[in-house]
Amino acid sequence: MTTANQGDIVVGVDHSAVSVAAMRWAVSAAAVSGRQVVALRAWSFEPVADLGAAVAGSPETVADRERRQLDEVVDQVRTEHPGVAVRAELVEHSATVALEEASKTAAMLVLGSHGRGRLLKLLVGSVAEHCLREASCPVVVIPARTVPEPEKDAAPEQEPVGTYYPGPLL
């Protein structure tokens, strides 16, 4: 499983915007406290549940994709705080099990409030909720509302007056 040491800040990384925000928070906290950050990404090969895994064809291909995505997030945040030790770990397991296990030796867990699931509106923060109940260390949850959405930042385009939109073809 994870090799987090006592005193490490473990952050769950899943390549979502709120996950990057959680990583930034963890690195900032580590810069102040002198702790190391362990960026933890859990993955599994489940072609029935994950279309990406089905298309990839092999567990090795999925693991390579997950490793690249984890490294992208770590590299992006690492450049903002070059003095903080950050270690990326890829674990083949469910996120809840991997994070709960990591919490046994970590100083704290840092998570985004929800990740990349399609049922986001129905299962808001299911991994974070599990960790809040089961973790062996303090858990910091970064709310998704703190992450600006590109759609909200951009001004909506004004439609020209009198634009005609045909109805559906029957």
Side-chain angles (χ1 to χ4, degrees):
M1 206 46 90
T2 183
T3 57
N5 297 313
Q6 294 291 353
D8 286 349
I9 298 173
V10 176
V11 58
V13 177
D14 70 359
H15 211 66
S16 65
V18 71
S19 170
V20 175
M23 181 73 177
R24 284 191 172 107
W25 190 95
V27 170
S28 294
V32 172
S33 67
R35 292 189 165 120
Q36 175 174 269
V37 173
V38 177
L40 180 64
R41 183 174 179 116
W43 72 280
S44 59
F45 183 73
E46 299 176 10
V48 174
D50 181 5
L51 183 59
V55 172
S58 73
E60 294 80 17
T61 306
V62 173
D64 289 344
R65 178 191 69 200
E66 298 293 323
R67 170 58 70 183
R68 279 192 310 276
Q69 290 179 348
L70 173 60
D71 289 343
E72 284 174 16
V73 172
V74 169
D75 291 344
Q76 176 185 351
V77 176
R78 187 180 275 153
T79 59
E80 298 168 9
H81 293 277
V84 175
V86 179
R87 187 175 75 248
E89 286 196 17
L90 190 65
V91 178
E92 185 177 4
H93 222 302
S94 70
T96 54
V97 170
L99 290 164
E100 184 180 341
E101 184 68 24
S103 77
K104 293 176 182 176
T105 57
M108 74 175 79
L109 287 179
V110 181
L111 309 167
S113 61
H114 44 273
R116 60 184 173 173
R118 291 195 61 97
L119 298 175
L120 186 61
K121 297 294 183 190
L122 298 176
L123 301 174
V124 174
S126 59
V127 172
E129 179 187 1
H130 176 87
C131 290
L132 286 168
R133 285 183 285 119
E134 303 297 332
S136 301
C137 67
V139 179
V140 175
V141 179
I142 306 301
R145 69 177 180 271
T146 63
V147 180
E149 295 180 34
E151 297 83 32
K152 289 182 180 178
D153 293 343
E157 293 183 22
Q158 298 294 325
E159 293 186 23
V161 177
T163 303
Y164 171 73
Y165 295 101
L169 298 174
L170 300 175

